[in-house]
Amino acid sequence: MQLSTLSLFPFSVPKFLHIKASREGESRCYFTLNQGFNRSNKLSRYIVIRSQLAGTGILDATNSLSEIKPSPKFRGVCFYGMTVMAGVLPFGILIVAHPLALIFDPYKTKFYNLIPKLWATASIAPFFDIELEGLENLPPQNAPAVYVSNHQSIIDFYPLLTLGRSFKFIGKNTVFLYPGIGWAMYILGMIPVKRMDIRSHLEAVRRCMDLVRNGASVFFFPEGTRSKDGKLGDFKKGAFTVAAKTGVPVIPMTLIGTGEIMPAGMEHVVNSGSVKLIIHKPIKGNDPEILRQLARNTILDTLSIEAQKKKRLS
Ligand SMILES: CCCCCCCCCCCCCCCC(=O)OC[C@@H](O)COP(=O)(O)O
């Protein structure tokens, strides 16, 4: 009989640390290190005791144990705790390095690639896996570009930061007031936009063009808000105006799964699941409207293909 993975932790445990249940009729359990090295340890006794309490130590009991899953709310608390803890050191480094970055790299194209990547990776690794597709479509590290993706959840930026690109996010102005993360966004030279304020939008587009012309990359969620039902919203024009006027490529990306892990309006939960980030081929052109349609259609088609794949598997 096949071994099955138990979920005793509040989050998905890295693969090298999976706990595997025993064969039929046996109550022995293992920590599997790198899926090859099995050894008994104290935890096995713990599992046996739980399984006997749950039933009789037979197969059914093992199965019921595998159903013990921490609640999404508990995982949510762990997630926020983890991201705050993981952020303390990077935030300190940002503050110390900031004066140097202002002098030597005012457009922050080289500094800070690694810090957000490490922080994002540490924050999400215990909770969900990320599958990356189309990495070959990413332009070279410091080639300016306009990146866009669909937006379903406030955790969207974590998988994006794991790419280690120093793109500047365009964010809602209120996000910049959040302790820690908002301040880091300010230090990293990200761009605030005020909703329903045309002057603020024009100023953001102007700042983006300035950044791109100086070698930086910018990141837009062109829907401007999170999708509440998983459907792709309309795309605003700003991102595509920046690309068309500066001649840099648009890199569309499709994010799948974040909306199920932390849906809009349910920021206190972290459901189990996994995330897929697909990087599409760059699009170039000097007509913002065409760029907008091409990028949206690419993401829309991909979301539909992925939804069909998921349906077939379930
Ligand atoms: C602590 C050290 C860490 C250093 C790295 C920090 C990098 C943080 C990057 C954060 C990027 C956040 C981008 C926010 C974009 C944004 O503002 O999207 C709007 C939506 O969400 C909310 O809109 P809505 O759905 O209408 O509420």
Side-chain angles (χ1 to χ4, degrees), residues 25 27 48-62 64:
S27 297
V48 172
I49 291 165
R50 292 291 304 270
S51 110
Q52 284 167 347
L53 282 176
T56 58
I58 58 171
L59 182 63
D60 280 353
T62 313
S64 67

Side-chain angles (χ1 to χ4, degrees), residues 87 116 119 151 157 169-172 175 185 188 195 225-226:
W119 170 68
H151 193 19
F157 64 85
F169 281 89
I170 319 307
K172 203 165 65 167
V175 176
M185 285 171 71
L188 289 165
R195 284 253 164 86
T225 186
R226 286 163 295 168

Side-chain angles (χ1 to χ4, degrees), residues 171-219:
K172 203 165 65 167
N173 59 341
T174 50
V175 176
F176 284 74
L177 301 174
Y178 293 171
I181 199 162
W183 306 336
M185 285 171 71
Y186 178 74
I187 293 172
L188 289 165
M190 299 191 182
I191 298 155
V193 180
K194 205 168 167 187
R195 284 253 164 86
M196 318 298 280
D197 180 339
I198 190 75
R199 288 237 307 264
S200 155
H201 286 224
L202 292 175
E203 171 62 10
V205 166
R206 192 198 60 74
R207 280 188 62 188
C208 287
M209 294 205 301
D210 185 44
L211 279 168
V212 166
R213 286 187 175 126
N214 283 282
S217 291
V218 289
F219 194 105

Side-chain angles (χ1 to χ4, degrees), residues 60-119:
D60 280 353
T62 313
N63 284 347
S64 67
L65 185 61
S66 71
E67 280 156 22
I68 298 174
K69 288 216 172 100
S71 75
K73 275 189 198 167
F74 182 61
R75 285 164 52 93
V77 172
C78 294
F79 172 74
Y80 286 111
M82 182 73 195
T83 200
V84 168
M85 278 190 312
V88 173
L89 184 64
F91 190 69
I93 296 172
L94 279 190
I95 294 201
V96 173
H98 188 46
L100 294 174
L102 283 178
I103 297 167
F104 296 110
D105 188 21
Y107 290 95
K108 302 180 193 76
T109 54
K110 300 174 195 72
F111 268 49
Y112 305 145
N113 284 352
L114 201 61
I115 293 175
K117 176 179 173 151
L118 291 177
W119 170 68

Side-chain angles (χ1 to χ4, degrees), residues 38-56:
N38 294 336
R39 62 188 167 92
S40 309
N41 57 28
K42 281 185 184 166
L43 195 77
S44 65
R45 198 182 310 157
Y46 168 75
I47 294 171
V48 172
I49 291 165
R50 292 291 304 270
S51 110
Q52 284 167 347
L53 282 176
T56 58

